[in-house]
Amino acid sequence: EESSRGSADRTKPSVVGLVDYEMSSFDVCCQAIADVQAECRMSVFRIAPPFTMHGHGHSTTMAYLPRHLYKILRDLLRNAATATLKKYVASNRKEPMQQIQVIISDSTTNSDVSIKISDEAGGFPRSKARTIFSFAKDLNTEQTLASVLADQGLCRTLGAMEPSDAHPLDRGAIAGHGLPISRVYARYFDGDLRLRSTPPVGTDVYLYISRVNENLLPT
C-alpha cells in the first residue's frame, strides 16, 4: 500500500521502533526509484527517465531508519528526474533522454554508507551554489521545517512515507525545495548531503548516512 512506502516491516525481528537493524540501503533506494518513476509517468510527460544502479550494497545491511532514508532519496531522485525531463522537453524530445546513475557504496567495514546520484541535465552555475540549500527562498518551506522541528519533533514526522501527489514539474520540485530539508534529515543522525555541479554537464549529489547506534538515537 502507498501508506507503507519506505516504512520498516514491524514484523521483522530486526525492527525496533523506527530503526531496522538489518536495513538494506539498496532495497530502499530501489523503492524510491520505482516511486519517482511512477510519479513521472503520471505527469504530463507520461514518461520517466531511466535509472541505473551499481556499486556495493546488494547484500549488505545496516542499522538505520528506512523511512528516513526513503524520504531523503525520494526528494533527491525527484530533483534529478525533474531536471532530466526539463532538458528532454527543451530539446523538443529530439535528444535521447540521459540516464540517472545511482551508486551505492556500502560494506561492513565502512562506518558510513555513501550514495551518489548523478544526472546529465545541465547542472547549475556556481553563483547559485550558496543558495541551493537556503530556506529563505521559500517562506512555506521555512514554516514547514519550523513546524516539523518545534511542534512535532523530527522523528515523529517520519511516519509512513507516501508518494507525493505532485508531479515532477510542480514549482516546488523545480526549485529544489526538498534539498534544505533533506540535508537536515541527513545530518540529524550524523550524516551529510553535498552537491557538486559541472555546468553544462550535470550534477552529482553525495548522500552520506551513518550507521545508527544507541548514542545517535534521540531520547
Side-chain angles (χ1 to χ4, degrees):
E1 295 180 359
E2 288 186 351
S3 61
S4 63
R5 296 300 191 193
S7 62
D9 182 358
R10 296 182 182 277
T11 63
K12 290 176 58 178
S14 60
V15 175
V16 179
L18 295 176
V19 179
D20 185 351
Y21 285 86
E22 295 181 359
M23 185 200 76
S24 168
S25 55
F26 183 86
D27 290 346
V28 175
C29 193
C30 285
Q31 182 65 70
I33 289 175
D35 290 344
V36 167
Q37 287 185 314
E39 290 182 38
C40 293
R41 295 189 183 100
M42 291 186 295
S43 72
V44 294
F45 295 116
R46 302 297 178 185
I47 190 173
F51 287 80
T52 61
M53 287 186 62
H54 51 92
H56 303 283
H58 295 72
S59 58
T60 306
T61 61
M62 63 179 294
Y64 204 71
L65 291 78
R67 300 173 184 177
H68 188 89
L69 177 59
Y70 173 85
K71 178 172 180 58
I72 298 173
L73 286 174
R74 191 186 64 185
D75 286 344
L76 298 179
L77 293 167
R78 187 190 291 119
N79 284 346
T82 299
T84 300
L85 288 172
K86 287 181 64 180
K87 183 179 180 181
Y88 179 62
V89 171
S91 70
N92 293 322
R93 305 184 183 230
K94 294 180 180 180
E95 296 182 3
M97 189 180 301
Q98 299 297 322
Q99 290 185 337
I100 299 171
Q101 296 188 20
V102 181
I103 301 175
I104 299 178
S105 177
D106 183 12
S107 72
T108 56
T109 60
N110 293 344
S111 59
D112 292 339
V113 175
S114 303
I115 301 176
K116 178 184 177 183
I117 302 172
S118 300
D119 66 62
E120 297 182 30
F124 56 88
R126 286 188 60 194
S127 59
K128 293 186 177 180
R130 293 185 178 181
T131 61
I132 201 74
F133 289 109
S134 173
F135 291 105
K137 62 185 177 183
D138 185 77
L139 182 58
N140 291 331
T141 300
E142 187 176 23
Q143 291 175 337
T144 298
L145 179 66
S147 175
V148 167
L149 296 179
D151 297 338
Q152 301 176 16
L154 184 59
C155 273
R156 292 183 57 191
T157 66
L158 296 175
M161 303 310 305
E162 300 180 4
S164 172
D165 294 331
H167 64 66
L169 286 187
D170 279 350
R171 177 177 174 274
I174 293 175
H177 291 159
L179 286 175
I181 295 180
S182 292
R183 188 167 69 170
V184 171
Y185 287 160
R187 290 180 171 178
Y188 191 71
F189 287 108
D190 203 29
D192 202 2
L193 176 62
R194 299 180 183 179
L195 272 69
R196 294 291 183 269
S197 180
T198 310
V201 180
T203 302
D204 296 325
V205 180
Y206 299 88
L207 173 63
Y208 304 97
I209 55 176
S210 296
R211 301 175 190 280
V212 171
N213 57 52
E214 293 182 358
N215 294 330
L216 292 175
L217 290 176
T219 57

